[in-house]
Amino acid sequence: MADSSKKTIIMFSGDLDKAMAGFIIANGAAAMGDDVTMFFTFWGINILRKSEYVPVKKGFLEKMFGWMMPRGADKLGLSKMNFGGMGSVMMKKIMKDKQVSSLPELISTAQSLGVKLVVCTMSMDVMGIKEEELIPGLEFAGVATYLGEADQAGVNLFI
């Protein structure tokens, strides 16, 4: 039986605007007292990468993947009108001018509100991302864990 006070959000996209939307929804639900789980898979894992280079042992293709993907919440582009990164720079400037929290601030708020951030271990393995390359405070699990949470939740979103 679904619990209306429980929410799950799959974060598949690594786009700045979609990540912002996911964290704003998660933080809003958590602030209302709901139990929120965010499950990061494939491109969504890039949201949680540390911004600095972390030396870890990788194969050639894993290194290439790591080099091509954005490193952290501050490096994400927009899903529309990114124009080689200019769109995300403009968006961040407007958000700062209007005193809207940045994505790193939204992530920090989510963690302080008790939002559970779960990273898909299969996606990490496929994309060559190691735990050391991700921000602290995360949980690591497979799709069965997410589905167990989703079965009990009243709201399940895919972003």
CSV table of all heavy atoms in Angstrom, one decimal, residues 16 20 78 81 86-102:
chain,number,residue,atom,x,y,z
A,16,LEU,N,21.4,20.8,-15.9
A,16,LEU,CA,21.3,21.7,-14.8
A,16,LEU,C,19.9,22.0,-14.5
A,16,LEU,O,19.5,21.9,-13.3
A,16,LEU,CB,22.1,23.0,-15.1
A,16,LEU,CG,21.9,24.1,-14.1
A,16,LEU,CD1,22.5,23.7,-12.8
A,16,LEU,CD2,22.5,25.4,-14.6
A,20,MET,N,18.0,20.9,-11.0
A,20,MET,CA,17.4,21.9,-10.1
A,20,MET,C,16.0,21.6,-9.8
A,20,MET,O,15.6,21.6,-8.7
A,20,MET,CB,17.5,23.3,-10.8
A,20,MET,CG,18.8,23.8,-11.1
A,20,MET,SD,19.6,24.8,-9.8
A,20,MET,CE,18.4,25.9,-9.4
A,78,LEU,N,22.6,23.3,-19.6
A,78,LEU,CA,21.1,23.3,-19.7
A,78,LEU,C,20.6,22.3,-20.7
A,78,LEU,O,21.3,22.0,-21.7
A,78,LEU,CB,20.6,24.7,-20.1
A,78,LEU,CG,20.9,25.9,-19.1
A,78,LEU,CD1,20.5,27.2,-19.8
A,78,LEU,CD2,20.1,25.6,-17.9
A,81,MET,N,19.0,25.5,-25.1
A,81,MET,CA,19.7,26.8,-25.2
A,81,MET,C,20.9,26.8,-24.4
A,81,MET,O,21.2,27.9,-23.8
A,81,MET,CB,18.7,27.9,-24.8
A,81,MET,CG,17.5,28.0,-25.7
A,81,MET,SD,16.3,29.3,-25.4
A,81,MET,CE,16.8,30.2,-24.0
A,86,MET,N,27.2,28.8,-22.5
A,86,MET,CA,26.8,30.2,-22.3
A,86,MET,C,25.4,30.2,-21.6
A,86,MET,O,25.2,31.1,-20.7
A,86,MET,CB,26.8,31.0,-23.6
A,86,MET,CG,26.6,32.4,-23.4
A,86,MET,SD,28.0,33.0,-22.4
A,86,MET,CE,28.1,34.7,-23.0
A,87,GLY,N,24.5,29.3,-22.0
A,87,GLY,CA,23.2,29.3,-21.4
A,87,GLY,C,23.2,29.0,-19.9
A,87,GLY,O,22.5,29.7,-19.1
A,88,SER,N,24.1,28.1,-19.5
A,88,SER,CA,24.1,27.8,-18.1
A,88,SER,C,24.8,28.9,-17.3
A,88,SER,O,24.4,29.2,-16.1
A,88,SER,CB,24.9,26.5,-17.8
A,88,SER,OG,26.2,26.5,-18.2
A,89,VAL,N,25.8,29.6,-17.9
A,89,VAL,CA,26.4,30.8,-17.2
A,89,VAL,C,25.3,31.9,-17.0
A,89,VAL,O,25.2,32.4,-15.9
A,89,VAL,CB,27.6,31.3,-18.0
A,89,VAL,CG1,28.1,32.6,-17.5
A,89,VAL,CG2,28.7,30.3,-18.0
A,90,MET,N,24.5,32.1,-18.0
A,90,MET,CA,23.5,33.1,-17.9
A,90,MET,C,22.4,32.7,-16.9
A,90,MET,O,22.0,33.6,-16.1
A,90,MET,CB,22.8,33.3,-19.3
A,90,MET,CG,23.7,34.0,-20.3
A,90,MET,SD,23.1,34.0,-22.0
A,90,MET,CE,21.5,34.7,-21.8
A,91,MET,N,22.1,31.5,-16.9
A,91,MET,CA,21.1,31.0,-15.9
A,91,MET,C,21.6,31.1,-14.5
A,91,MET,O,20.8,31.6,-13.6
A,91,MET,CB,20.7,29.5,-16.2
A,91,MET,CG,19.8,28.9,-15.2
A,91,MET,SD,18.1,29.6,-15.3
A,91,MET,CE,17.5,28.6,-16.7
A,92,LYS,N,22.8,30.8,-14.3
A,92,LYS,CA,23.4,30.9,-12.9
A,92,LYS,C,23.4,32.4,-12.5
A,92,LYS,O,23.2,32.7,-11.3
A,92,LYS,CB,24.8,30.3,-12.8
A,92,LYS,CG,24.8,28.8,-12.9
A,92,LYS,CD,26.2,28.2,-13.0
A,92,LYS,CE,26.1,26.8,-13.3
A,92,LYS,NZ,27.5,26.2,-13.6
A,93,LYS,N,23.7,33.3,-13.4
A,93,LYS,CA,23.8,34.7,-13.1
A,93,LYS,C,22.4,35.2,-12.7
A,93,LYS,O,22.2,35.9,-11.7
A,93,LYS,CB,24.3,35.5,-14.3
A,93,LYS,CG,24.1,37.0,-14.3
A,93,LYS,CD,25.2,37.7,-13.5
A,93,LYS,CE,25.1,39.2,-13.6
A,93,LYS,NZ,24.4,39.9,-12.6
A,94,ILE,N,21.4,34.9,-13.5
A,94,ILE,CA,20.0,35.3,-13.2
A,94,ILE,C,19.6,34.7,-11.9
A,94,ILE,O,18.9,35.4,-11.1
A,94,ILE,CB,19.1,34.9,-14.4
A,94,ILE,CG1,19.4,35.7,-15.6
A,94,ILE,CG2,17.6,35.0,-14.0
A,94,ILE,CD1,18.7,35.2,-16.9
A,95,MET,N,19.9,33.5,-11.6
A,95,MET,CA,19.5,32.8,-10.4
A,95,MET,C,20.1,33.6,-9.2
A,95,MET,O,19.5,33.8,-8.2
A,95,MET,CB,19.9,31.3,-10.4
A,95,MET,CG,19.0,30.5,-11.3
A,95,MET,SD,19.6,28.8,-11.5
A,95,MET,CE,20.0,28.3,-9.9
A,96,LYS,N,21.4,33.9,-9.3
A,96,LYS,CA,22.1,34.6,-8.3
A,96,LYS,C,21.5,36.0,-8.0
A,96,LYS,O,21.3,36.4,-6.9
A,96,LYS,CB,23.6,34.7,-8.6
A,96,LYS,CG,24.4,35.3,-7.5
A,96,LYS,CD,25.9,35.3,-7.8
A,96,LYS,CE,26.7,35.9,-6.7
A,96,LYS,NZ,28.1,35.9,-7.0
A,97,ASP,N,21.2,36.7,-9.1
A,97,ASP,CA,20.6,38.0,-9.0
A,97,ASP,C,19.2,38.0,-8.3
A,97,ASP,O,18.8,38.9,-7.6
A,97,ASP,CB,20.4,38.7,-10.4
A,97,ASP,CG,21.8,39.0,-11.1
A,97,ASP,OD1,22.8,39.0,-10.3
A,97,ASP,OD2,21.8,39.3,-12.3
A,98,LYS,N,18.5,36.9,-8.6
A,98,LYS,CA,17.2,36.7,-8.0
A,98,LYS,C,17.2,35.9,-6.7
A,98,LYS,O,16.1,35.5,-6.2
A,98,LYS,CB,16.2,36.1,-9.0
A,98,LYS,CG,16.0,37.0,-10.2
A,98,LYS,CD,15.0,36.5,-11.1
A,98,LYS,CE,14.8,37.4,-12.4
A,98,LYS,NZ,14.1,38.6,-12.1
A,99,GLN,N,18.4,35.7,-6.2
A,99,GLN,CA,18.6,35.0,-4.9
A,99,GLN,C,18.0,33.6,-4.9
A,99,GLN,O,17.3,33.2,-3.9
A,99,GLN,CB,18.1,35.9,-3.7
A,99,GLN,CG,18.8,37.2,-3.7
A,99,GLN,CD,18.3,38.1,-2.6
A,99,GLN,OE1,17.2,37.9,-2.1
A,99,GLN,NE2,19.1,39.1,-2.3
A,100,VAL,N,18.1,32.9,-6.0
A,100,VAL,CA,17.7,31.5,-6.0
A,100,VAL,C,18.9,30.7,-5.7
A,100,VAL,O,20.0,30.9,-6.1
A,100,VAL,CB,17.1,31.2,-7.5
A,100,VAL,CG1,16.8,29.7,-7.6
A,100,VAL,CG2,16.0,32.0,-7.8
A,101,SER,N,18.6,29.7,-4.9
A,101,SER,CA,19.7,28.8,-4.4
A,101,SER,C,20.4,28.1,-5.6
A,101,SER,O,19.7,27.7,-6.6
A,101,SER,CB,19.2,27.7,-3.5
A,101,SER,OG,18.7,28.3,-2.3
A,102,SER,N,21.7,28.0,-5.6
A,102,SER,CA,22.4,27.2,-6.6
A,102,SER,C,22.2,25.7,-6.4
A,102,SER,O,21.7,25.3,-5.4
A,102,SER,CB,23.9,27.6,-6.5
A,102,SER,OG,24.5,27.0,-5.3
